[in-house]
Amino acid sequence: MASLRVEAEQEPLLGHSIRGSREWDIIETEEHYKSRWRSIRILYLTMFLSSVGFSIVIMSIWPYLQKIDQTADASFLGWVIASFSLGQMVASPIFGLWSNYRPRKEPLTVSIFISVAANCLYAYVQVPASHNKYYMLVARGLVGFGAGNVAVIRSYIAGATSLQERTSSMANTSACQALGFILGPEPIFLPLLRCLMQVDDSIYYFQFYVFQTCFALIGEKGVTWDTIKLQINMYTAPVLLGAFLGILNIILILTILREHHVDDSGRQCKNINFEEASTDEVQVPQGNIDQVAVVATNVLFFVILFIFALFETIVTPLTMDMYAWTREQAVLYDGIILAALGVEAVIIFMGIKLLSKKVGERAILLGGLIVVWVGFFILLPWGHQFPKIQWEDLHNNSIPNTTFGEIIITLWKIPREDHNEGPTGCPVEQAWCLYTPMIHLAQFLTSAVLIGIGYPSCNVMSYTLYSKILGPKPQGVYMGWLTASGSAARILGPIFISQVYAAWGPRWAFSLVCGMVLLTITLLGVVSRRLIAFSVRHGRVQEEPS
């Protein structure tokens, strides 16, 4: 049966030609088309689950870490959280290289199995008698290592789609990834529930703060399976669900995923990843990849993710300093804003699929960068109104004055504290508070909307162009480096903005970001003519006017 199914998928392509290119003179059978898109959709699901795996436990790490190891401090928490990106940065080129020479099922299955094993390890980190925090560090690092399969997913989708299908497929991939990040960290909605329900602190803590996951009713103590020494509670249940979903994902990949590789015109190509060869397949087109375009696109992708990572980081301290918001207000309002940006991003991803057919990817990338620049320019402080100064005890927990780990600690402490939040405003220990004008709320909201439009546009266009530049050749290693550059950006962005904001304030911080975006726009202008599809560069397909 399996051989018959493979033969059916590799039957000669029949039917009418597809518009848009001289080369579109071949079309797939219905069975082959369905098989190819089933495989792509399985990878959409894999991308979604990878994002959920990162976000579903992010807010419970600190109390769980405190519970299992009293020696853990905020600085160590920062390492635990950063270990995910570090693991992904290391693993992406490795899995990418693997996928170039072997069927993609192999690195995908192994990477997901690593994530499953890491989630199981996370559930057992309380068992050892000592050094529990290091076991958690290893577990989160391995989850990130497993998430390195993002490079394989992107390379597969790039290789299994034609030029006309590429932008739409990459936008769907980004939308699935964004949905995973939106649905994972539920706590951003919880303060809103508290305000709407008008409940007291004890009831709120029991019913809503613990409701950060779907497993709140299990409680902190939970139940223990003595035979295997497994404790199932509010901290371990999410990762156990993640492990179960990972196993289900592996089964779907092994049973449904098929190796499909087409050239830029949509014709099936021979490749090491194919399960069987076919006389109807064409050879992979020969030609050199434009390495200048490759490096430039990696730089563009790094800057795009760097800028958004620093924006996410600075939102809470900026609003606390500028508008004298309490910690609880900051989590409530900023959570709503970031959630809205996530929804906005999904809408943008969907809209891009239509817009790119009319104006082209490079125009959208340039437009996205310009919108991002305008967003950060609007954030520059103007006028003669200054923020409220915090003269009293400096306990507003402004994030730039703390380690990254203390960000999570601050958010966890909020529901446990009473309404007496203490002094608010811009702490006088930040000297710039005394002479820097405040950023008005309208400025901030306008900026957030613009950045929420520009970032997803730039994100999906950068690696869509990247995949087209690489052409029909195996893209695993190249996609691995692109994913690694994004992971590095997510690590370095928060560090950069925290240091600059704390020392020099928003005027210098956002001026530097504006300068960085201008340099990126300049780079795009210089290399724009080289950011073309492989087949267009080698004259096999005529570039469509944009």
Side-chain angles (χ1 to χ4, degrees):
M1 291 294 293
S3 61
L4 290 175
R5 181 167 53 187
V6 172
E7 289 174 4
E9 291 171 6
Q10 297 180 345
E11 287 177 4
L13 303 178
L14 304 172
H16 62 279
S17 60
I18 299 175
R19 299 177 182 177
S21 170
R22 298 170 300 166
E23 306 264 345
W24 288 93
D25 54 358
I26 300 175
I27 190 64
E28 304 167 288
T29 63
E30 183 179 358
E31 180 64 26
H32 186 276
Y33 177 85
K34 289 181 178 178
S35 173
R36 182 163 65 93
W37 282 99
R38 275 197 302 266
S39 300
I40 291 173
R41 290 178 183 121
I42 287 296
L43 297 185
Y44 290 162
L45 174 64
T46 303
M47 181 70 86
F48 171 79
L49 294 177
S50 176
S51 298
V52 171
F54 167 77
S55 59
I56 197 171
V57 300
I58 195 69
M59 293 300 291
S60 65
I61 288 179
W62 173 241
Y64 190 36
L65 184 60
Q66 282 187 311
K67 179 182 178 181
I68 64 172
D69 195 328
Q70 297 297 321
T71 66
D73 57 13
S75 177
F76 190 83
L77 174 63
W79 282 105
V80 171
I81 295 172
S83 63
F84 180 94
S85 294
L86 289 171
Q88 187 180 51
M89 184 170 62
V90 171
S92 296
I94 297 174
F95 288 129
L97 179 64
W98 187 351
S99 71
N100 275 3
Y101 298 100
R102 297 291 300 169
R104 264 69 68 96
K105 285 183 179 180
E106 293 181 9
L108 285 171
T109 301
V110 170
S111 61
I112 297 172
F113 179 80
I114 290 173
S115 294
V116 169
N119 281 329
C120 292
L121 173 60
Y122 187 92
Y124 276 96
V125 294
Q126 81 280 357
V127 173
S130 61
H131 305 298
N132 306 75
K133 63 183 182 181
Y134 296 107
Y135 289 104
M136 179 180 284
L137 178 68
V138 171
R140 289 302 294 170
L142 287 175
V143 171
F145 194 90
N149 60 19
V150 169
V152 182
I153 294 170
R154 287 175 175 164
S155 66
Y156 180 96
I157 293 174
T161 53
S162 65
L163 285 181
Q164 288 192 342
E165 299 167 326
R166 189 76 47 80
T167 302
S168 176
S169 300
M170 290 298 185
N172 290 338
T173 305
S174 293
C176 291
Q177 189 175 32
L179 281 173
F181 284 120
I182 293 170
L183 297 179
E186 295 179 11
I188 58 175
F189 299 105
L190 303 185
L192 178 60
L193 287 175
R194 180 185 187 182
C195 293
L196 294 177
M197 300 290 291
Q198 293 297 310
V199 295
D200 65 44
D201 288 343
S202 59
I203 297 177
Y204 165 74
Y205 175 70
F206 179 76
Q207 293 183 339
F208 292 108
Y209 185 76
V210 178
F211 187 66
Q212 63 176 306
T213 72
C214 297
F215 310 95
L217 294 178
I218 299 176
E220 190 171 21
K221 184 177 180 181
V223 295
T224 302
W225 190 349
D226 293 324
T227 305
I228 58 175
K229 297 182 178 180
L230 175 62
Q231 187 176 25
I232 304 175
N233 56 32
M234 57 181 284
Y235 305 128
T236 61
V239 295
L240 293 175
L241 173 64
F244 171 77
L245 293 176
I247 293 172
L248 179 62
N249 198 5
I250 290 174
I251 294 173
L252 291 174
I253 287 174
L254 292 177
T255 56
I256 298 178
L257 185 70
R258 295 290 179 268
E259 296 291 345
H260 294 287
H261 188 207
V262 299
D263 65 10
D264 286 348
S265 298
R267 289 181 286 194
Q268 202 169 356
C269 298
K270 290 182 178 179
N271 188 274
I272 187 65
N273 304 102
F274 272 104
E275 294 161 344
E276 292 185 15
S278 170
T279 56
D280 298 301
E281 296 166 357
V282 298
Q283 295 288 343
V284 176
Q286 299 301 309
N288 295 325
I289 296 173
D290 188 345
Q291 297 298 331
V292 173
V294 167
V295 173
T297 311
N298 270 278
V299 173
L300 291 170
F301 190 70
F302 174 88
V303 173
I304 291 164
L305 266 69
F306 181 91
I307 288 172
F308 192 72
L310 65 83
F311 177 74
E312 286 183 312
T313 302
I314 206 60
V315 164
T316 298
L318 179 68
T319 53
M320 290 176 68
D321 290 344
M322 291 292 130
Y323 315 124
W325 287 353
T326 64
R327 293 186 297 271
E328 182 171 329
Q329 288 174 323
V331 172
L332 168 60
Y333 301 143
D334 294 337
I336 293 172
I337 291 169
L338 292 177
L341 292 184
V343 175
E344 180 186 17
V346 174
I347 296 172
I348 294 297
F349 288 140
M350 297 298 100
I352 279 175
K353 297 194 293 184
L354 300 175
L355 185 61
S356 63
K357 296 177 182 179
K358 297 183 179 180
V359 301
E361 288 90 356
R362 287 174 295 180
I364 294 177
L365 179 57
L366 175 61
L369 285 172
I370 292 173
V371 171
V372 169
W373 182 86
V374 173
F376 277 101
F377 183 80
I378 290 174
L379 271 182
L380 293 175
W382 303 98
H384 303 287
Q385 185 176 350
F386 295 89
K388 172 188 173 183
I389 302 299
Q390 180 190 134
W391 297 100
E392 304 177 49
D393 255 347
L394 304 176
H395 294 309
N396 79 331
N397 288 319
S398 183
I399 291 177
N401 299 323
T402 64
T403 66
F404 181 68
E406 288 173 321
I407 300 173
I408 305 301
I409 296 173
T410 299
L411 300 183
W412 264 96
K413 285 181 178 178
I414 290 168
R416 305 178 188 180
E417 296 174 354
D418 58 28
H419 293 283
N420 184 17
E421 293 284 345
T424 59
C426 199
V428 70
E429 67 176 5
Q430 294 178 163
W432 56 264
C433 293
L434 299 174
Y435 57 81
T436 301
M438 74 174 295
I439 298 170
H440 296 280
L441 184 59
Q443 279 181 266
F444 173 73
L445 294 177
T446 303
S447 172
V449 170
L450 291 175
I451 293 171
I453 294 173
Y455 166 71
S457 304
C458 295
N459 179 280
V460 69
M461 286 301 103
S462 57
Y463 63 76
T464 297
L465 283 169
Y466 190 68
S467 69
K468 292 185 176 184
I469 291 167
L470 299 177
K473 295 183 178 182
Q475 299 187 6
V477 173
Y478 286 102
M479 284 294 181
W481 288 118
L482 187 73
T483 304
S485 69
S487 299
R490 289 195 299 271
I491 295 170
L492 297 177
I495 296 174
F496 167 84
I497 196 65
S498 296
Q499 298 300 317
V500 175
Y501 179 87
W504 299 331
R507 178 171 285 168
W508 272 101
F510 299 139
S511 294
L512 290 174
V513 173
C514 286
M516 191 180 304
V517 177
L518 279 178
L519 289 176
T520 305
I521 292 173
T522 304
L523 172 64
L524 177 60
V526 171
V527 302
S528 178
R529 293 184 178 275
R530 307 187 75 139
L531 303 184
I532 56 176
F534 179 92
S535 55
V536 173
R537 179 170 175 260
H538 290 282
R540 299 187 180 96
V541 173
Q542 185 175 0
E543 185 175 21
E544 297 181 8
S546 58

